[in-house]
Amino acid sequence: SNMPDVCINSITNIKRKIIKFRNVVYESYHLNISFSGINKEIHNVIMSCGLGPKNAIGFGMVSLKHEKKNLSV
């Protein structure tokens, strides 16, 4: 297949947070994650949808930080 080789280069500055939302407690994390091998299509999906299983309720939001040829989110 024509799948890109996406790699996680590093995960740093991990901060665990417990959040109560609609009477459900969620364990969440604020962190820096650096990827390489992300093409424009995957980049657009990440920026549109976020990352993780609870993105529909606002978890998994992403902000960009460009570093060299890698994409950090």
Side-chain angles (χ1 to χ4, degrees):
S1 75
N2 195 14
M3 296 296 293
D5 291 325
V6 175
C7 295
I8 296 174
N9 298 328
S10 66
I11 301 173
T12 59
N13 300 328
I14 301 169
K15 296 176 185 145
R16 180 177 178 253
K17 296 187 180 222
I18 302 299
I19 297 173
K20 186 174 182 181
F21 179 72
R22 295 187 182 164
N23 293 321
V24 178
V25 176
Y26 296 97
E27 180 178 9
S28 64
Y29 294 88
H30 185 269
L31 52 86
N32 296 330
I33 185 168
S34 175
F35 295 95
S36 60
I38 297 213
N39 63 26
K40 186 176 180 178
E41 185 177 12
I42 292 173
H43 173 268
N44 289 341
V45 170
I46 290 171
M47 295 309 295
S48 296
C49 301
L51 297 170
K54 298 294 181 192
N55 54 0
I57 60 172
F59 291 93
M61 293 172 37
V62 174
S63 64
L64 284 180
K65 178 182 173 185
H66 289 281
E67 294 180 3
K68 300 180 186 173
K69 292 185 179 181
N70 298 331
L71 172 66
S72 295
V73 293

